[in-house]
């Protein structure tokens, strides 16, 4: 039972254009969502997050949008740069404990071409 | 600066061997996690610990056990390694939060190959 899904395994974008990565979830208990970025042979690094009480959060070139009614979130990267090429994971939390368990999606490989 | 370290970056073991993967964090975090990452499957939680000597099963605990004798150290044990445990293993830690808003910080990962 995949509670967090990233249905696009890969995305290819030209440098300077917008990258949009999508994520869907099924568990309505989730109240906090995160995006992580992972380069090969490295651990994931935190990118940006959003609480369920918001519908948008911005940090520089990165913006995350949350549509609670559709159980959908997206990460926008504008403008995209070759250094953004990595695997992007969305994750969700909110099981009511303080353990901070995250449920991850399958990941989307982003390739930004110069 | 936040730091999670893992004992090995690459490891090659034989089927049936007992394997220990070590993780150390220097952030005084209560919560620690072990994941495996496989292509197309994302990160799957194996075990986690919310305090010293406390452990909870994640989504795929079969074939694994864990040990947390000290707050900063969380070990993953493969009792009898099998080829289907060939994977990238990632350790993470976070501080506790009743609002589930604490970010997990990851180590660099251990690429384990079981022959």
């Amino acid at each position: 039972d995949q509670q967090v899904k990233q249905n696009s395994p890969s995305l290819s974008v030209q440098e300077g254009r917008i990258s949009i990565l999508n994520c869907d979830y099924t568990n309505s208990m989730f109240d906090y969502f995160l995006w992580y970025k992972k380069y090969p042979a490295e651990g994931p690094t935190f990118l940006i997050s959003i609480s369920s009480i918001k519908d948008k959060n911005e940090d520089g070139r990165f913006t995350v949008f949350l549509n609670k009614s559709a159980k959908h979130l997206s990460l926008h990267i504008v403008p995209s740069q070759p250094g953004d090429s990595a695997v992007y994971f969305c994750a969700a939390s909110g099981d009511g404990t303080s353990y901070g368990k995250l449920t991850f999606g399958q990941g989307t490989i982003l390739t930004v071409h110069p | 600066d936040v730091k999670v370290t893992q004992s090995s970056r690459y490891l090659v073991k034989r089927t049936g061997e007992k394997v220990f993967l070590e993780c150390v964090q220097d952030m005084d975090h209560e919560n620690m996690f072990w994941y495996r990452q496989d292509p197309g499957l994302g990160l799957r939680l194996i075990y986690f610990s919310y305090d010293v000597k406390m452990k909870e099963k994640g989504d795929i605990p079969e074939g694994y056990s864990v040990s947390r004798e000290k707050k900063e150290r969380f070990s993953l044990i493969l009792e009898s390694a099998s080829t289907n445990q060939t994977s990238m293993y990632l350790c993470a830690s976070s501080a506790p939060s009743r609002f589930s808003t604490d970010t997990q910080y990851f180590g660099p990962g251990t690429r384990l190959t079981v022959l």
Side-chain angles (χ1 to χ4, degrees):
Chain A
D1 177 27
Q2 191 82 25
Q3 296 188 67
V4 178
K5 293 183 183 178
Q6 294 175 256
N7 292 316
S8 297
S10 63
L11 176 67
S12 184
V13 169
Q14 206 66 31
E15 181 178 7
R17 306 293 290 266
I18 185 171
S19 296
I20 300 176
L21 296 96
N22 294 303
C23 181
D24 297 296
Y25 62 96
T26 57
N27 189 341
S28 56
M29 292 289 292
F30 289 146
D31 61 3
Y32 194 68
F33 303 89
L34 308 90
W35 285 93
Y36 280 83
K37 174 180 178 179
K38 185 181 183 301
Y39 292 118
E42 292 184 15
T45 54
F46 170 72
L47 195 55
I48 192 169
S49 61
I50 187 167
S51 165
S52 60
I53 61 173
K54 293 186 173 183
D55 54 18
K56 177 182 173 181
N57 189 27
E58 235 175 312
D59 184 2
R61 296 185 297 114
F62 302 91
T63 303
V64 56
F65 295 92
L66 176 62
N67 182 333
K68 282 180 62 179
S69 60
K71 294 192 178 67
H72 177 84
L73 63 152
S74 61
L75 174 68
H76 292 211
I77 306 173
V78 185
S80 301
Q81 298 173 355
D84 295 329
S85 297
V87 181
Y88 289 78
F89 292 100
C90 70
S93 71
D95 61 354
T97 71
S98 63
Y99 305 149
K101 283 173 56 182
L102 295 178
T103 302
F104 284 85
Q106 306 96 312
T108 296
I109 301 170
L110 174 65
T111 304
V112 180
H113 298 283
Chain B
D1 196 18
V2 164
K3 196 138 190 200
V4 179
T5 57
Q6 295 183 229
S7 50
S8 305
R9 296 299 300 270
Y10 300 93
L11 211 51
V12 179
K13 295 292 181 181
R14 298 222 171 262
T15 302
E17 278 192 79
K18 191 167 187 176
V19 182
F20 293 87
L21 302 182
E22 303 284 335
C23 175
V24 178
Q25 50 96 2
D26 65 358
M27 296 162 286
D28 203 34
H29 282 166
E30 277 78 3
N31 302 329
M32 295 188 75
F33 308 84
W34 274 107
Y35 297 88
R36 59 178 284 177
Q37 183 203 352
D38 300 287
L41 297 177
L43 277 69
R44 294 180 292 166
L45 182 63
I46 304 171
Y47 266 97
F48 68 99
S49 168
Y50 54 90
D51 202 351
V52 175
K53 295 193 186 297
M54 304 305 290
K55 60 185 179 185
E56 292 283 341
K57 292 180 180 179
D59 300 317
I60 51 164
E62 297 78 19
Y64 304 94
S65 62
V66 290
S67 172
R68 189 146 180 223
E69 296 297 318
K70 292 185 177 181
K71 188 176 185 180
E72 68 271 19
R73 189 179 297 270
F74 192 35
S75 303
L76 180 69
I77 303 151
L78 286 67
E79 297 290 343
S80 177
S82 63
T83 55
N84 62 13
Q85 292 179 309
T86 291
S87 186
M88 168 71 87
Y89 289 87
L90 293 157
C91 175
S93 72
S94 71
S97 167
R98 59 188 287 265
F99 300 109
S100 303
T101 57
D102 277 289
T103 303
Q104 287 186 17
Y105 296 92
F106 283 84
T110 296
R111 172 69 66 184
L112 172 67
T113 301
V114 182
L115 303 174

